Amino acid sequence: MPKDGGIGDSTRRREDIRFLTGAGRYSDDINVHGQTYAHFVRSDVAHGRIRSIDVAGAEAMPGVLKVFTSKDFEGAGGVPCGWLITSRDGTPMQEPKHPILAEGKVRHVGDPIAVVVAETKAQARDAADALEIDIEMLDAACDMKAALEDGAPRVHDDLSSNLCYDWGFVEDNREAVDEAIKAAAHVTTLELVNNRLVANPMEPRVAIGEYNPATDEHTLYTTSQNPHVIRLLMGAFVLNIPEHKLRVVAPDVGGGFGTKIFHYAEEAFVTFAAKALRRPVKWTSSRSEAFMSDAHGRDHVTKIELALDADNNFTALRTTTLANMGAYLSTFAPSVPTWLHGTLMAGNYKTPLIYVNVKAVFTNTVPVDAYRGAGRPEATFQLERVVDKAARELGVSPVELRRQNFITAFPYATPVAVEYDTGNYHATMDKLLELSDYSGFETRATDSKSRGKLRGFGIAHYIEACGIAPSNLVGQLGARAGLYESATVRVNATGSISVMTGSHSHGQGHETTFAQVISEMIGIDASQVDIVHGDTARTPMGMGTYGSRSIAVGGSAMVRAAEKVIAKAKRIAAHLMEASEGDIELKDGQFTIAGTDKSVAWGDVTLAAYVPHNYPLEEIEPGLEETAFYDPANFTYPSGGYGCEVEVDPETGHVKVLAFTAADDFGNVINPMIVDGQVHGGVAQGIGQAMMENCAYDAEGQLISASYMDYAMPRAGDVPMFTVDASCATPCTHNPLGVKGCGEAGAIGSPPAVVNAVIDALQRGGYDVGHIDMPLIPSRVWQAIQDATAAKR
Amino acid sequence: MHNFELVKPTSIEDAVAALKEEEAQPYSGGQTLLPTMKARLAAPTKLVSLLGIDELRYVRIEGDQVHVGGATTHATVARETKEAYPGLASLAARIGDPAVRNRGTIGGSLANNDPSACYPAAALGSGATIKTDRREIAADDFFEGMFMTALEEGEIVTGVTFPIPQAARYEKFIQPASRFPLTAVFVAKYDAGVRVAVTGASELGVFRWTEAEEALSKTFSADAVKDLKVDDADMISDLHGSGAYRAHLTKVMTARAVTALS
């Protein structure tokens, strides 16, 4: 039994009280004295040359302070990219400038051209209508294949083509993979699309810039998952502001899903304009703006080939992907289809030879970057789809084909450069089959059939790499940042504790879970522990939250800092009890001399540290506060078996998701309730991707799913009650808590399970459908049925 | 949203007078108008609210007819026609979400004639009569294509009279994002024959599927429409489905409505 409020206890989320009672403090809740309002004027065409911008009329409008254009940013840097990818031929990726406001050309619908700053929001918007902008429309490059052809419209005139990079991994394996595929007894091939998504966090982005001329200090309030990263990127690369003069605050943030990792032009703009105008400047994104300015996710077009020997062992895997970068390189965009994708292509399987080729393409669309899972969903989707297709082609059970090829011995070095430390894939598969009542499926399918419906069951087994990441490794791979995490554990005189963490919570519940860990380690009540995050002025330099890294990296930093605190506190306790330091034990908030009943309370020791009257000042510094930076030795490798059961209405193509089961291995779990919630959210997003979400452009580059009228978000009624389980835990071997991370798993494992289930249903219904591209909206499923019916005739 | 003037007359007469002013526009719930104004796609200088006019808010059951006031909300219709005309009540109960149903009105919906709105299917499928401040218009003459009606400038829908059928059913297949009908069919069975109205599917807005009406008037069973073909020439084709798919759904939804009523 876990202790109340300690590790393993499903403590209720303390932050929910303020969120659910409207007492949260989000960026838009912040209003700074004297603030002005920025309205961004954005391109309504995908590609065009800016002939002229006449600001005079707009600047003469009531309340307008100034209209900014790219001219105001001469000398400022562009929005930087944080990852360099090297092409197969050894050349660095093509890296175009990403100006704060469009320079010379507009490159996607939503590209900011000018900004009106006025006394009120309405005045700014009215003045925007008075701006005269003359744009010569150019043909747009939207489709990735077409964009790579000779003569395609060039997104960036100064680049040699629309190809950002052509990446091969592992290049040394290429020929061996080709040979193995030629020699295979069977090769299953699948071409598929991983649909472009809009992240749609509940809270749109906000940025407020403030400047204090008395101290030359800038403050930026922003909806960010990583305020220190924004401070570094914006200060050093865009606006040339040293860190000590720049404070970035990311207060309560209402969901990120990756799209709030990146440094955006709007953040740099308000920071810059606040100094230029000597007035605070606030920008709040509308939902419509979010659709055309938040980085999108996914958007891969892939061909995958799986080779098997005569005994159905996987012998080789080859994938070729076109990955959409959009018009500019967002902060981590180049890493998503490469290192976060190629390194995961082994999945749970001991395929000895793997080759991944990715061509990243510039198009006249919104930049694409990490979205919940980032690269790993794309890898898992193609792999788990092709394995399912192979099982069907070979006439074997998709469960057995997976089991036969599972990795069973750990640590396991994959042919794609990562080493899995632990896992037990048979255990999660067993748990999945048990919890989903797999053996009872046929009876349920018969029942569906009696009602004219087709029932299907789909399985996916995923691996992901979390806890991003060992800094020295990612440095070799092109990252322009370290990926450690930091924490300061500050013990107050009377024993309460403030933990300053570089991790950032935007829905994950860190304020609860991180306090549980401290409570467990020291033995004081969790209510005595506060978690402070989201402010560069209050927390040590940290890299923030993404890649399911908070507990694995940020939690580990906190444990290291707490260990230092405990070690020092033991020395103080030893002094107070006139005992040897080595004999001191800390349990339930009491320091005891081992083997005796002599003890001193936590609060007495902490008080002594700050009121050092009876204290060995010559040996121990007063105070009790320690900082630790933790750089992980390896990624963590959560894994799991997911099962989805669907019913297809063959008359309309409508799919109902009836049941979804997740059996995950997250290693040790701090708060099971929160982990369940993370899986629920991830699976809901994965079902959203598989069933309904679709960010679509037309041939002219107009965003045709630009609002909730056409972009379908999953609602409660679209998902079933989930069955989730995290009992098959193999603790991580290289971090102090044995944790792996759980934030992205649901979104990674669920799309292939859903699609596999629909294909299974159609096949059982006699329709020979090999694949349908996501989202599986009714019209697509119906069309696949029509095509299969026509082919049979 | 631009600034505008809002007037709230209490009689039809005053409303009609107010609408004579240039750029004045009736406001009857605003479930389409307000989002359009927020997006600055419409900027009327004056809104004439019809929601303060008591004589536009009623549901009266009289003999074999249901009379609904033009400014009656969907929620009210759903509640008050449940027994007299359950097919209509069920349609009203499934429009949008509770917020929409408590603000949107029947007059506003019919006057707007969104090609994916629900109410036009009920009006056309019931052979309803649309009453305005100056005349009565048969539903067959009212809907003139996507967002187009027979209403003149400044003409207000004051009420709708629905003849109560023997039975009626609205089968709606939703577009997953907007939750408007991708294709929905209203089937009503009258002594004089069966009427079938289709919404969401056609570029021309709500329409009657006359072949199905003839077939169902002879034999009221799903089999009667089995071999009919819906012409997909004018069907909407978009991100959510092709014209051929909508034509197919027209048939499926019609058959399902008939099956449910048989």
Side-chain angles (χ1 to χ4, degrees), chain B residues 75-260:
Chain B
T76 304
V77 173
R79 194 168 58 240
E80 296 188 13
T81 65
K82 219 182 258 174
E83 282 164 25
Y85 193 168
L88 176 65
S90 162
L91 174 144
R94 288 181 282 153
I95 299 173
D97 57 18
V100 169
R101 292 194 289 274
N102 282 307
R103 295 302 298 171
T105 64
I106 190 167
S109 173
L110 294 180
N112 190 46
N113 193 20
D114 187 311
S116 298
C118 295
Y119 257 138
L124 191 60
S126 304
T129 301
I130 289 103
K131 295 178 178 175
T132 77
D133 58 284
R134 60 200 73 164
R135 57 183 168 147
E136 295 192 351
I137 309 169
D140 284 325
D141 302 324
F142 184 83
F143 302 104
E144 295 187 340
M146 193 182 269
F147 296 110
M148 310 245 290
T149 67
L151 291 173
E152 293 162 2
E153 198 66 32
E155 189 173 6
I156 296 171
V157 174
T158 55
V160 187
T161 297
F162 293 92
I164 299 174
Q166 296 166 14
R169 174 101 176 175
Y170 183 58
E171 283 289 333
K172 175 158 80 170
F173 194 85
I174 61 164
Q175 192 258 59
S178 68
R179 316 265 161 158
F180 275 68
L182 189 69
T183 293
V185 177
F186 192 89
V187 174
K189 193 178 173 189
Y190 288 92
D191 295 343
V194 175
R195 290 177 72 101
V196 177
V198 183
T199 188
S202 171
E203 298 278 3
L204 306 176
V206 66
F207 71 94
R208 283 172 67 187
W209 185 19
T210 48
E211 293 89 337
E213 291 183 348
E214 284 161 23
L216 290 168
S217 296
K218 281 185 206 134
T219 320
F220 194 76
S221 87
D223 280 347
V225 296
K226 201 174 64 184
D227 296 324
L228 297 182
K229 190 151 170 46
V230 184
D231 183 11
D232 63 9
D234 296 319
M235 291 292 184
I236 298 168
S237 200
D238 63 12
L239 193 57
H240 310 288
S242 63
Y245 181 59
R246 283 177 165 88
H248 169 76
L249 282 181
T250 300
K251 196 161 129 177
V252 174
M253 293 298 116
T254 304
R256 286 186 181 181
V258 171
T259 302

Side-chain angles (χ1 to χ4, degrees), chain A residues 481-494:
Chain A
L483 285 166
Y484 52 83
E485 197 46 87
S486 65
T488 295
V489 174
R490 174 179 298 163
V491 184
N492 301 309
T494 59

Side-chain angles (χ1 to χ4, degrees), chain A residues 126 129 649 651-652 710, chain B residues 40 175 179 240 245 248 256:
Chain A
D126 284 344
D129 290 345
D649 175 356
E651 241 184 347
T652 62
D710 287 299
Chain B
R40 295 195 165 199
Q175 192 258 59
R179 316 265 161 158
H240 310 288
Y245 181 59
H248 169 76
R256 286 186 181 181

Side-chain angles (χ1 to χ4, degrees), chain A residues 288-332:
Chain A
S288 306
E289 269 185 296
F291 269 97
M292 55 176 144
S293 70
D294 289 5
H296 292 170
R298 316 279 193 258
D299 204 349
H300 286 195
V301 175
T302 293
K303 180 181 177 187
I304 181 167
E305 297 153 283
L306 175 65
L308 302 95
D309 69 14
D311 298 321
N312 297 342
N313 297 308
F314 301 166
T315 56
L317 185 74
R318 181 167 63 194
T319 89
T320 313
T321 288
L322 294 181
N324 206 332
M325 294 286 104
Y328 304 101
L329 291 178
S330 176
T331 310
F332 290 116

Side-chain angles (χ1 to χ4, degrees), chain A residues 79-154:
Chain A
V79 179
C81 177
W83 208 298
L84 172 73
I85 297 298
T86 303
S87 285
R88 290 171 53 206
D89 63 6
T91 57
M93 68 184 186
Q94 298 208 77
E95 192 173 356
K97 184 178 179 187
H98 183 179
I100 294 168
L101 298 176
E103 284 174 7
K105 285 216 307 190
V106 288
R107 295 186 175 86
H108 66 85
V109 169
D111 204 0
I113 304 167
V115 191
V116 182
V117 180
E119 296 288 350
T120 71
K121 245 187 212 180
Q123 285 172 335
R125 193 159 179 195
D126 284 344
D129 290 345
L131 262 181
E132 287 179 29
I133 299 172
D134 183 15
I135 291 178
E136 173 197 353
M137 267 186 74
L138 302 171
D139 288 340
C142 295
D143 176 75
M144 285 192 280
K145 274 181 194 154
L148 289 181
E149 282 167 13
D150 289 341
R154 198 79 61 78

